[in-house]
């Protein structure tokens, strides 16, 4: 609800740091900078996390893939990051056992996998209960009866951590705001302001009112993910390194159509590896990795992407016989990778890099969701060093290792105890266990704030009261502006429960309309926008969306 006021407040001051982009990278930078006492602002052209940060495989990786590439330091770093994030937001970064099946003639044999996973456990500092075990053929089949038995030798059994990328981004932004950051979604940076050749501000257009703000800052960071080169272009010519975009898609199936018992990570015939991940009532599968030159704003899952993944799954789980009609939802995202001569998409490094332009614009490109905190530390260290050099101001070191994250303030309780308290409080209000567990997985400790809102609403039956409380919280505390924001990024409902999205869309629009004062026309427009998003996941095109020149 502070969106417009925030934009005005940014325009009325000179920020220490302005961040362009409200994905996980921009969110992490704002969090770190705000904790150091910097006056920081974030501008996001669409909704927070609407770019790649809601379209990933949603894993906080330990980095098996990096081990394969010999990137020892990276394995250690991401292993520690995932343990740290789990300790801060246990409802959002969840240990998930994973099978790594081994086949005759596959990329790695039984012993190589066993040694590889052992080294991985050591490097990543994996805790005892989650260290790898090796399963023989019979044990593997017992664990996963659907798995292909032809040539099966056994499997590695290890842990990855599952998350919700968009929710993680929102919680990090909320934490930054609690520490004084100013943020605004639907605020697009359309140009830069210069003094003596140095970039000292931006023009930002409010996408809802078309009002233009000039926002000044001592330092500006471009964290625009797949759009970083578009932003760099607005700052002058693109020189030096460039982005190389690759597209990755995921498909979602009802769990009873792909009833795997465990998540699995396996080879496909073209040498790539894909994940199959059960999550509540669905199982999702991904991802592809193809060079992308279509429209950056609208990556889509094409029919060819769908067929590639279905065929990979049918080959690994031969009895399931998935067909295109089984796909209930899908999402497509773009990896903002850094171009390297002569490398195939899947060979390009996932490392992050910082580019400095002549005007002083700092760009951070590449990287992973998993490494966002370290990326932010690197960027904010650079900003702090520049501010010290320019103005002699000294900011403290990074403190995100120690700092809590919104949704993870458990008031001294262990997470399991906390869950029981929340369940009990839910029961007292007539909220059933399934609803409590869904609320917990979305909001963690902030469920209590939703309960408070629930208590303040008297006129509705308990299900509608709860939906209303959730939407109110979302509008008041998560800058939810449209019904699509709520159904896609704040709850993930469109991806993980499309049918419920179709059933509740109208009610969500009605409730949001009551709170935000929408007239009939606005409500129709909001509903049409939701229907358009539903159509995107239901009707797949044969070709990519064309790039606007
Ligand atoms: P984005 O999330 O795209 O954010 C950039 C933001 O900038 C966007 O919201 C955009 O709207 C905004 N913006 C652009 N231009 C402007 C402008 N002019 N003004 C204002 N705002 C602007 N990583 C993992 O760790 N684990 C995984 O499991 C994983 N799986 C992946 C699977 C796929 C298919 C893909 C594509 C990536 C995956 N990644 C994974 C990588 C991870 O998702 C990305 O590294 C990360 O989300 C990038 O975040 P970002 O903030 O840099 O970019």
């Amino acid at each position: 609800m502070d969106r417009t006021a925030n934009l005005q407040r940014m325009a009325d001051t000179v920020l220490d740091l302005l961040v362009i982009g409200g994905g996980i990278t921009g969110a992490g930078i704002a969090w770190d900078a705000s904790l150091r006492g910097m006056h920081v602002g974030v501008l996001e052209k669409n909704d927070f996390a609407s770019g790649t940060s809601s379209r990933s495989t949603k894993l906080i990786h330990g980095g098996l893939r990096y081990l394969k590439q010999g990137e020892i330091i990276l394995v250690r770093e991401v292993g520690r990051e995932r343990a740290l994030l789990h300790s801060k937001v246990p409802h959002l970064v969840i240990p998930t056992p994973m099978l790594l099946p081994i086949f005759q003639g596959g990329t790695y044999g039984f012993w190589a996998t066993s040694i590889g996973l052992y080294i991985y456990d050591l490097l990543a500092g994996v805790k005892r209960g989650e260290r790898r075990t090796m399963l023989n053929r019979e044990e593997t089949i017992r664990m996963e009866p659907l798995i292909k038995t032809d040539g099966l030798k056994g499997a590695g059994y290890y842990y990855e951590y599952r998350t919700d990328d968009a929710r993680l981004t929102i919680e990090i932004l909320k934490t930054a705001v609690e520490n004084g950051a100013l943020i605004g979604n639907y605020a697009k940076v359309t140009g830069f302001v210069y003094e003596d050749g140095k970039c000292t501000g931006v023009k930002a257009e409010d996408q809802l009112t078309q009002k233009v703000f000039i926002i000044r800052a001592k330092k500006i960071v471009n964290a625009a993910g797949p759009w970083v080169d578009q932003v760099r272009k607005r700052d002058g010519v693109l020189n030096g390194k460039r982005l190389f975009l690759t597209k990755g898609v995921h498909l979602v199936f009802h769990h009873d159509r792909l009833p795997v018992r465990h998540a699995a990570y396996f080879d496909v015939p073209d040498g790539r590896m894909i994940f199959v991940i059960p999550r509540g009532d669905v199982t999702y599968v991904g991802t592809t990795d193809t060079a992308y030159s279509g429209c950056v704003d609208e990556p889509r899952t094409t029919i060819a992407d769908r067929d590639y993944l279905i065929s990979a799954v049918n080959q690994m789980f031969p009895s399931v016989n998935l067909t295109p009609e089984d796909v209930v939802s899908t999402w497509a995202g773009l990896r903002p990778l850094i171009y390297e001569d002569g490398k195939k998409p899947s060979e390009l490094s996932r490392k992050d890099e910082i580019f400095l332009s002549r005007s002083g614009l700092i760009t951070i490109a590449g990287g992973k969701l998993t490494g966002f905190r370290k990326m932010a530390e690197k960027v904010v260290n650079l900003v702090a060093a520049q501010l010290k050099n320019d103005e002699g101001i000294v900011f403290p070191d990074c403190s995100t290792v120690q700092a809590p994250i919104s949704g993870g303030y458990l008031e001294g309780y262990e997470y399991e105890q906390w869950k029981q308290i929340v369940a009990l409080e839910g029961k007292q209000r007539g909220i059933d266990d399934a609803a409590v567990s869904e609320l917990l997985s979305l909001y963690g400790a902030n469920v209590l704030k939703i309960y408070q809102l629930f208590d303040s609403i008297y006129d509705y039956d308990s299900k509608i009261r709860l939906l209303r409380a959730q939407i109110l919280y979302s509008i008041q505390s998560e800058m939810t502006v449209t019904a699509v924001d709520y159904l896609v990024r704040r709850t993930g409902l469109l991806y993980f429960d499309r049918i419920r999205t179709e059933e509740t869309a109208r009610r969500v629009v009605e409730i949001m309309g009551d709170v935000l004062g929408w007239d009939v026309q606005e409500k129709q427009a909001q509903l049409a926008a939701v229907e358009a998003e539903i159509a995107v996941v239901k009707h797949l095109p044969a070709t990519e969306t064309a790039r606007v020149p």
Side-chain angles (χ1 to χ4, degrees):
M1 280 191 151
D2 294 336
R3 200 186 73 86
T4 322
N6 274 1
L7 293 177
Q8 193 55 56
R9 282 165 69 198
M10 283 191 240
D12 290 342
T13 184
V14 178
L15 297 166
D16 291 320
L17 172 62
L18 176 69
V19 184
I20 305 170
I24 191 68
T25 308
I29 294 169
W31 177 39
D32 187 323
S34 63
L35 280 171
R36 298 193 206 202
M38 288 183 192
H39 196 232
V40 56
V42 180
L43 295 174
E44 162 55 52
K45 76 175 172 131
N46 198 283
D47 184 27
F48 302 119
S50 58
T52 306
S53 299
S54 55
R55 298 151 183 269
S56 75
T57 308
K58 307 178 193 298
L59 290 174
I60 298 295
H61 282 286
L64 251 198
R65 154 197 192 102
Y66 302 138
L67 185 66
K68 213 168 153 183
Q69 294 165 341
E71 308 241 30
I72 304 292
I73 294 172
L74 214 54
V75 177
R76 177 172 305 167
E77 192 172 292
V78 292
R80 307 225 154 132
E81 282 307 298
R82 85 177 183 180
L84 185 70
L85 284 173
H86 171 64
S87 71
K88 287 181 188 296
V89 271
H91 70 287
L92 204 50
V93 177
I94 304 158
T96 305
M98 177 97 49
L99 278 177
L100 188 69
I102 302 156
F103 290 91
Q104 193 86 43
T107 322
Y108 290 101
F110 191 88
W111 291 112
T113 305
S114 174
I115 294 166
L117 287 175
Y118 174 75
I119 297 173
Y120 166 78
D121 282 349
L122 279 185
L123 287 174
V126 175
K127 61 182 177 199
R128 189 157 295 164
E130 294 179 6
R131 293 196 189 142
R132 72 98 173 85
T133 42
M134 295 304 292
L135 308 176
N136 64 26
R137 179 185 154 89
E138 285 65 40
E139 288 165 333
T140 308
I141 295 170
R142 223 174 300 132
M143 280 278 209
E144 193 50 82
L146 294 175
I147 205 157
K148 173 173 85 168
T149 50
D150 243 17
L152 180 70
K153 292 173 76 179
Y157 185 76
Y158 72 112
Y159 277 77
E160 286 287 6
Y161 281 48
R162 194 161 53 74
T163 190
D164 179 324
D165 43 10
R167 288 241 34 107
L168 183 63
T169 305
I170 297 293
E171 297 299 1
I172 297 292
L173 281 166
K174 282 157 70 181
T175 315
V177 169
E178 286 168 15
N179 292 306
L182 294 172
I183 65 172
N185 51 2
Y186 296 97
K188 180 177 182 175
V189 170
T190 55
F192 288 95
V193 177
Y194 298 91
E195 277 167 37
D196 302 328
K198 289 288 165 209
C199 185
T200 55
V202 302
K203 286 187 198 120
E205 190 182 290
D206 184 335
Q207 300 298 287
L208 306 180
T209 62
Q210 274 63 56
K211 185 171 173 190
V212 174
F213 295 86
I214 301 292
I215 296 173
R216 294 185 188 277
K218 294 175 188 166
K219 299 291 158 195
I220 301 176
V221 170
N222 168 14
W227 293 266
V228 291
D229 280 354
Q230 290 184 14
V231 172
R232 284 166 80 207
K233 252 193 225 159
R234 290 183 200 276
D235 175 47
V237 272
L238 266 188
N239 48 22
K241 291 196 177 179
R242 283 168 191 231
L243 277 196
F244 183 87
L245 300 183
T246 78
K247 190 184 75 170
V249 315
H250 291 82
L251 302 180
V252 183
F253 301 92
H254 283 301
H255 186 255
D256 32 355
R257 279 302 291 119
L258 184 50
V260 286
R261 292 191 185 165
H262 290 90
Y265 185 40
F266 55 87
D267 280 318
V268 283
D270 65 5
R272 296 192 54 261
M273 293 192 75
I274 65 170
F275 289 100
V276 165
I277 303 175
R279 176 179 159 139
D281 294 338
V282 300
T283 305
Y284 68 97
V285 174
T287 167
T288 56
D289 197 0
T290 48
Y292 186 74
S293 56
C295 176
V296 184
D297 287 341
E298 281 180 75
R300 297 281 306 270
T301 301
T302 63
I303 290 172
D305 298 326
R306 176 199 67 193
D307 293 348
Y308 170 91
L309 286 178
I310 287 183
S311 136
V313 175
N314 283 341
Q315 176 259 329
M316 185 53 57
F317 304 101
S319 60
V320 299
N321 284 317
L322 291 175
T323 68
E325 287 67 44
D326 292 316
V327 177
V328 274
S329 193
T330 171
W331 64 88
L334 299 177
R335 298 178 186 84
L337 306 179
I338 295 156
Y339 179 76
E340 291 171 71
D341 256 348
K343 289 208 170 167
K344 285 199 251 165
S346 56
E347 291 167 356
L348 287 174
S349 163
R350 267 56 179 165
K351 276 193 204 156
D352 54 279
E353 269 191 54
I354 293 176
F355 310 147
L356 295 177
S357 88
R358 248 184 245 134
S359 70
L361 178 69
I362 300 166
T363 293
I364 172 95
K368 302 275 290 176
L369 185 74
T370 305
F372 82 93
R373 200 194 58 81
K374 293 295 280 184
M375 279 165 78
E377 180 176 356
K378 223 183 326 177
V379 172
V380 183
N381 280 347
L382 175 68
V383 169
Q386 289 187 353
L387 287 172
K388 185 175 170 200
N389 197 38
D390 295 352
E391 307 194 355
I393 319 170
V394 178
F395 287 101
D397 290 342
C398 173
S399 59
T400 49
V401 168
Q402 304 84 14
I405 296 175
S406 164
Y409 313 141
L410 302 185
E411 297 170 17
Y413 291 101
E414 290 296 316
Y415 185 50
E416 288 309 312
Q417 287 174 305
W418 181 260
K419 274 165 59 176
Q420 284 170 14
I421 295 171
V422 169
L424 195 68
E425 289 223 11
K427 209 166 255 152
Q428 285 162 358
R429 290 170 171 85
I431 302 171
D432 64 41
D433 287 350
V436 168
S437 121
E438 187 177 313
L439 285 176
L440 258 171
S441 70
L442 291 171
Y443 305 104
N446 291 322
V447 173
L448 295 189
K449 297 186 180 155
I450 293 176
Y451 285 167
Q452 276 170 12
L453 290 166
F454 180 91
D455 294 343
S456 69
I457 300 165
Y458 297 105
D459 300 333
Y460 301 87
D461 83 27
S462 113
K463 281 214 167 93
I464 296 176
R465 255 173 96 179
L466 187 57
L467 180 64
R468 208 176 165 86
Q470 226 179 306
I471 290 176
L472 257 179
Y473 177 76
S474 197
I475 291 173
Q476 290 174 353
S477 305
E478 303 197 326
M479 214 174 266
T480 301
V481 174
T482 71
V484 171
D485 297 345
Y486 179 77
L487 291 165
V488 181
R489 265 92 47 188
R490 302 301 181 279
T491 58
L493 209 59
L494 177 64
Y495 297 149
F496 295 111
D497 198 343
R498 194 200 78 215
I499 307 298
R500 184 138 67 102
T501 309
E502 288 169 342
E503 287 165 2
T504 55
R506 194 170 287 277
R507 178 152 280 149
V508 168
V509 168
E510 282 301 326
I511 296 175
M512 285 192 72
D514 287 352
V515 180
L516 294 168
W518 292 339
D519 59 18
V520 176
Q521 246 176 346
E522 181 59 30
K523 284 183 186 169
Q524 276 168 356
Q526 291 284 333
L527 199 57
V530 174
E531 279 160 5
E533 289 293 325
I534 293 172
V536 164
V537 305
K538 270 169 93 168
H539 308 295
L540 307 187
T543 55
E544 307 291 3
T545 322
R547 187 173 283 204
V548 183

